[in-house]
Each structure stands twice: as structure tokens, then as C-alpha cells.
Amino acid sequence: MEQNKASQKWTITLFTIGVFMAGLDNGIISTALTTINDSFEVSPSWGTWSITIYTLGMAISVPIVGKLSDRFGRKRLFIVEILLFGIGSLLVALSPNFIFLLMARLLQAIGGGGIFIIGSSHILSTLPKGKQGKALGMLGGMHGLSAVIGPNLGAVILSLTGSWHWMFLINLPIAAFLIIFGFLKMEETKAGTAKPLDFKGSILLTVGILTFMYGITQFDSGSVIISIFIPQVVILLIIGIVLFVLFIFHERQLEQKGGDPIIAFSLLNNRLFKVTLLLGLISGGFLAGIIFIPAFVQQVLQVPVEHAGYWLTPLAIASGIGAGLGGVLTDKYGASNAISLSGVLGLFGFLLFAFWVEGFFSFVLASILAGVGLGILLGAPLNMLAGESAHNGGKGMALGTLSLVRQIGLILFPIVYAGFMTGAFTKIEPAIQQKFGHTLVESDNYGGLITSVDAIADPELHIDILDTATSVINTGFSNMFITAAVLSILVMIFGIYLNKFKKPI
């Protein structure tokens, strides 16, 4: 359904604001995590569930919301999603206890998880092909920027207000604006369908996702391989996989009977879509590598936390530029070429982080390369490929499935990366003992390490031991960046494959 030009501008603007608002939330809360845990008197391990449950909620909601947007209409679903996100934000701010906060965060995630999918589906369904990439790039840019800006914005809000509650209350006027202008300015782009909703498929998919991803979150970052054989983890993963198999079998039968499946089996059987899903999984690892860069700035480059935001600004800007550039390149040269370029830029950027970055200017260069590469990959190309895979409609369904796979990558790869960090920390004490004959209070986190080093009275020894500890920590980050570089090579290979064997999208 074509919309007039003014309506399209308003619609895409509202989607962009919604995507940015929802994407900021997890980054913002990470800044105040310790404050929130202290206010409810919960342990750090229990407190991290305020982030984990948001990620799980998004993973559950995105494929189902994508399907519902195809079924009931994108305007309707957008307004419902914003309303749920706004109510969830208010309930988080008013939470009387931690369990209530977790439930409110889950409601937030269900509301925020589908906004990007609905916006992307709208663009693929209403804009001419030559303009889709640019619009998708804008949405992807906001999505990527929010992940990088979130922690810094959270720190600003916390310092200005002194209360973590305002991090969620500021969502309310934005949500109200989006709902009001959504009613007034957006036009519906998808008529409803008379076919019954696939409740059985929805339940199988929801429980399968929740079980499988909860199993992943139980991995021990210090020994990922061993974690796979922990009985609790094994049971959760097996149940999740069995439910996925049952879900696919059910969807195939339903499609053959002429029903309306959540995810069409014919889509899952599409070769182009399979490659797109693999790229989506890899992009989760790509993004996870970027997420660890702030820790690299503080722990390896020894930049004080109050100055770290300045160092990270080029990365945020580069991600936004990359998303816009990816949209333009996709429109002009095809998604496969844009994907290949993102892999090349990511490869050089991550290798620079691993082997060359020592100061501000080398850091900025590596940030620009990795940031632009990430922006390109998270923007238009993969969404265009997913939309192209859904030949007979169902673009929201395809985009939701892609987003789900990316969320799995975004949970799985940080566990692997954290394992590199944990391994590095275990080597600090032996390295210091061997070099200086000095014993530190053993610690598995950076804060504890610094406290132990600061207790050393001799200034020269203090500096030398801190340099040695930093050098050992850097080995963990180097392994992470090398892994991210390998993922970038895979992105290049898939891009070349698509360019060679498929027509440019």
C-alpha cells in the first residue's frame, strides 16, 4: 500500500524515535545496575537479571510481533508496542521490590522488542526498492547508536537527578508523543486477515526460546565447553531444541493445510533466508565485540570512567554513519556488496584493536573502522535480504526471525568473550608472582584487582605491577578481538557467496 509523501516522512520519523527509545533502555540501565541492586538489596548476580530478562523478553517477542504486524496491521501494532513499553517503564520506576521490577522489565521488552521489526517491515512493504536501503539504514543507525550512547546517557541522567527512577520516567513523555502522533499521522499499511491465529505455534516458539536462551545464560564464562555438560544446562538446551523441532514440524503441517503459521516452513527452507540467518547470528557476535570496547578503554588503556565517554563518541558516530552508508550502498550496489564491505572494515578494525591500539588516535582509527562496519551490517543489508526472502508477504515474520537469531548471537558470544576475560584474570596473580615475587589479593574482577594494587605502598612497584596486570588483561581482550575479526572474515565470505551465486538484492 503506497502512502503519500508527508505521511511516509511522519511514519518513518516516528518509527526512528521509537527504535532509538527502546534501544537505549538496556544501555541506560547498565550504568545504574549497582545503584538499583543496592536499593533493593540484591546480589550482583541476581541483579543482572534486570538486563537478562529484557534480552529474553525481546527474543520472545520479536518473531511473534513481526507475524502480528503482518496479520493485524503495522500502525496498530506500533501503537500497542509503544503503549506496553510506556506502561512497563512506569512500572519499573514505581517498583516496590525487585521481583516486581523484573516483571515490569519483561513487559518493557515485549513492548520495545517489536518496534524495529514493525518499522523495517513497513519500509519493505511501502517504499520503492531503490529507497528502502536508505530508510532501513536510518532505523539501523538509531538501533546501533542507542546501544553505544545508552551507558553514557544513563550516567548523565544519574548524575543530574541522583535517582535511577528517572532513567525510566523519561520514557513516558516520549511514548505519549509517539502514541498521539501515531494515531494522527500514520496510515495503516496492512489489512487484517480472517485466518485463525497460530496459538499452538506461538506457545511452542515462546517456551522453546525461553528455555533455550535461559540455558545459554547458565553457561560459566570461565569454562564454556564444560558448561555444556552441566546437567541443568543440558536439560534446558535439550528441551529448547525439542520444542523448536516440534514447532517447525507444526508450522510445516499448518502451512500445508493452508493455515497462517508464525514462521512459514517454506521461508525456513529458503536458501537465501538460511544464509541471512547465519549472517544474523554472526552479527550478534560482531555487536558483542563492540559492546566490550568500553571495558577495553578503562581496563587496558587506563582511561578514567569519567573520561571514557569522550573516547567512545567516535565509535557511536561511526556506527550511525555506517548504518546510513550501508543503506545507500545497498540501494546502489546491492546488499551482498554492502555486507562484504562491512566484513572488510570490521576485520581491519578488530585487528587494530588486537595488535596496535595503544593511545587515543590509534583507538579512534580502529573505532571508526569497526563502528562503520557494524553500522553497515546492522542497517539495511540483512533486513533487505530477509524481506526479499519473504516472496509472498510475511516480511514482518522474516524480520522477526532474523532479529531472534541475532539476539541468540548477542547472548551466546558475550559468554565466550567473557570467558577470555576470566581466563586472563586467572593469569594475573601467577605473572606478578613470577616477575615481582609479590602476592595480590586474588580477584576475578577489575574493581577488586585495582583495590588490591592500590594497597601497594611503593609508588614504583605500584606502577610496574599495574602495567603487568594491564598487559595480562589485554591478552583476554586481544583473543576477543581476534575472534571478532574471524567473524568479520565469515561476513566477507557470505557476502562474496551472495554476490557470486545470487543476484544483487
Side-chain angles (χ1 to χ4, degrees), residues 21 83 133 141 190 221 261 290 302 340 351 425 436:
M21 177 184 69
L83 181 62
K190 179 72 177 180
S221 60
I290 297 290
Q302 294 296 303
S340 297
L351 287 179
F425 270 97
F436 302 101

Side-chain angles (χ1 to χ4, degrees), residues 134-154:
K134 185 178 179 180
L136 288 170
M138 183 167 25
L139 282 188
M142 291 301 102
H143 202 54
L145 273 173
S146 64
V148 181
I149 292 175
N152 295 316
L153 182 59

